[in-house]
């Protein structure tokens, strides 16, 4: 049996440039570890206005968008 894991992506909006930076966070079952990791990723993204798509998240070398699930305000 294999484990399916969904790693979330959130977006940080930069008011000065009116652009967004995607924030990739690895999912951890332990909420405290996940929350700490997500918080650190968001702080890092707020310091940069780069779009930040990187090949680490596209290991087959193709830029594509996987299905997106949105919720919240």
């Amino acid at each position: 049996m294999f484990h399916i894991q969904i790693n979330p992506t959130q977006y940080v909006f930069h008011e000065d440039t009116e652009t967004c930076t995607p924030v990739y966070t690895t999912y951890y079952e332990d909420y405290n570890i996940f929350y700490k990791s997500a918080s650190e990723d968001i702080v890092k993204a707020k310091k940069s206005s780069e779009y930040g798509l990187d090949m680490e998240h596209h290991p087959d070398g193709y830029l594509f968008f996987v299905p997106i699930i949105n919720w919240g305000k």
Side-chain angles (χ1 to χ4, degrees), residues 15-50:
E15 290 187 26
D16 57 337
T17 59
E18 296 185 355
T19 60
C20 292
T21 298
V23 181
Y24 304 103
T25 299
T26 301
Y27 174 76
Y28 296 96
E29 287 189 34
D30 182 312
Y31 179 78
N32 292 322
I33 293 171
F34 172 70
Y35 184 82
K36 182 178 184 292
S37 179
S39 297
E40 290 170 355
D41 291 341
I42 289 169
V43 167
K44 186 173 147 183
K46 286 182 178 181
K47 294 179 182 178
S48 171
S49 60
E50 293 182 21

Side-chain angles (χ1 to χ4, degrees), residues 2-16:
F2 64 94
H3 178 72
I4 295 174
Q5 178 174 311
I6 298 174
N7 298 316
T9 303
Q10 27 311 328
Y11 288 84
V12 170
F13 180 71
H14 305 283
E15 290 187 26
D16 57 337

Side-chain angles (χ1 to χ4, degrees), residues 9 21-25 44 50-65:
T9 303
T21 298
V23 181
Y24 304 103
T25 299
K44 186 173 147 183
E50 293 182 21
Y51 188 70
L53 286 176
D54 59 12
M55 296 319 290
E56 176 185 337
H57 296 91
H58 303 287
D60 60 1
Y62 294 98
L63 178 60
F64 65 94
F65 292 95

